[in-house]
Amino acid sequence: MSPRKAPTYTGVPAWIYAVAAAGGLLVLLPLAAMVARVNWPQFLPLITSDSSLTALGLSLRTSAASTALCLLLGVPIALVLARGSFPGQRLLRSLVLLPLVLPPVVGGIALLYTFGRQGLLGRTVEVLGLQIAFSTTAVVLAQTFVALPFLVVSLEGALRTAGPRYEAVAATLGARPSTVLRRVTLPLVLPGLASGAVLSFARSLGEFGATLTFAGSLEGVTRTLPLEIYLQRETDADAAVALSLVLVAVAVSVVALAYRSPRPSGRTFAGSMTAQSTTAESATPPRATRGGVQ
């Protein structure tokens, strides 16, 4: 007979659970109501129509492209915000996170006046033979605009939690900044980076307002799944509900993937640094070294 575990103190008052349950119901009840309205006998035909599959395929492709763009642009921004120190850093953080609170339609208007034919950069881009507004590229840009803060917030938090300690140790051992970034910093914050990427993908998948304003709704080109749901709602409510359920299922899957338990990573330079540092700490007292390591 296994010994009974001693109760652990959580520090959470009992009434907190009641309020948390009410909050959970606020999210779950609308979803349950939507599931109850699904026309299950016609569910498969509704979600496998040509227009639905085209919209779903376009959403997945553009969301993947915007997530890649978020990684390309968001990782440097998060590194600058977490590790850098310069005047205007708080202002830069506020501007980067602005799409989180900005109405999506306002973001779409801003993009239109930047990359549209009469926009700030639109004429220059048009001279080069490119037209961004009302194209698939516009969908990717709109999704990137609203999803980028999710990656930056997740990665900046992971960087601040990890701290610069191991990077400083690697620098004292002669590693170049690019090597430190590739073999120490990024492996250390890989779970946060993965979570940010998945959340960015989920946000891109559900983007509606900025996409409609900046890219329009052309089937096969700019009509993503949220736009298809909006249009189907006017003509076929059953199809709109069925497609909404598909979108919810995909979103729940990717969010669950983002918050799954992290698997043990393989041996990396960061892991070696951690082991070496732990061994050194247990064997020698702390001391000041070059790079601020103690």
Side-chain angles (χ1 to χ4, degrees):
M1 183 177 178
S2 60
R4 295 180 60 185
K5 293 183 179 179
T8 57
Y9 177 71
T10 61
V12 180
W15 60 269
I16 288 290
Y17 289 97
V19 179
L25 288 176
L26 182 62
V27 177
L28 295 178
L29 279 180
L31 297 178
M34 185 182 68
V35 172
R37 290 295 303 270
V38 173
N39 185 358
W40 291 107
Q42 297 296 321
F43 181 73
L44 285 179
L46 289 173
I47 65 173
T48 54
S49 64
D50 291 340
S51 60
S52 299
L53 292 178
T54 300
L56 178 60
L58 180 63
S59 286
L60 294 176
R61 292 195 302 273
T62 55
S63 296
S66 63
T67 302
L69 200 54
C70 285
L71 285 170
L72 181 65
L73 302 176
V75 171
I77 293 176
L79 283 168
V80 168
L81 292 177
R83 294 288 191 263
S85 178
F86 53 89
Q89 190 173 9
R90 292 185 177 181
L91 178 61
L92 175 61
R93 179 182 292 105
S94 301
L95 293 176
V96 170
L97 302 184
L98 188 60
L100 285 176
V101 296
L102 202 65
V105 66
V106 176
I109 291 175
L111 289 171
L112 191 60
Y113 282 107
T114 303
F115 297 103
R117 297 187 63 181
Q118 303 298 324
L120 184 64
L121 302 178
R123 294 180 181 178
T124 303
V125 173
E126 194 170 353
V127 169
L128 299 176
L130 301 174
Q131 183 176 351
I132 295 180
F134 304 105
S135 66
T136 305
T137 305
V139 177
V140 175
L141 286 179
Q143 292 174 342
T144 304
F145 181 80
V146 299
L148 184 62
F150 289 84
L151 180 75
V152 174
V153 168
S154 298
L155 185 56
E156 186 188 0
L159 286 166
R160 290 187 181 280
T161 301
R165 185 181 184 185
Y166 298 117
E167 289 96 323
V169 174
T172 60
L173 295 176
R176 295 182 177 181
S178 297
T179 303
V180 173
L181 173 64
R182 180 169 54 87
R183 302 195 61 183
V184 179
T185 305
L186 292 181
L188 278 175
V189 298
L190 191 57
L193 180 61
S195 298
V198 175
L199 290 176
S200 297
F201 180 84
R203 181 63 186 90
S204 299
L205 198 63
E207 164 50 31
F208 175 79
T211 303
L212 182 61
T213 307
F214 181 43
S217 177
L218 181 60
E219 185 175 359
V221 180
T222 64
R223 187 178 299 171
T224 57
L225 191 56
L227 299 181
E228 178 68 16
I229 293 172
Y230 178 77
L231 294 176
Q232 289 286 357
R233 182 176 175 273
E234 302 293 331
T235 58
D236 190 349
D238 289 341
V241 174
L243 291 175
S244 298
L245 185 60
V246 172
L247 190 58
V248 169
V250 175
V252 170
S253 300
V254 296
V255 172
L257 181 65
Y259 285 96
R260 68 176 182 174
S261 299
R263 299 177 58 183
S265 58
R267 183 176 177 83
T268 62
F269 186 74
S272 301
M273 295 294 300
T274 304
Q276 293 175 8
S277 177
T278 303
T279 304
E281 283 179 354
S282 61
T284 60
R287 61 188 178 84
T289 61
R290 184 163 59 93
V293 181
Q294 294 181 346

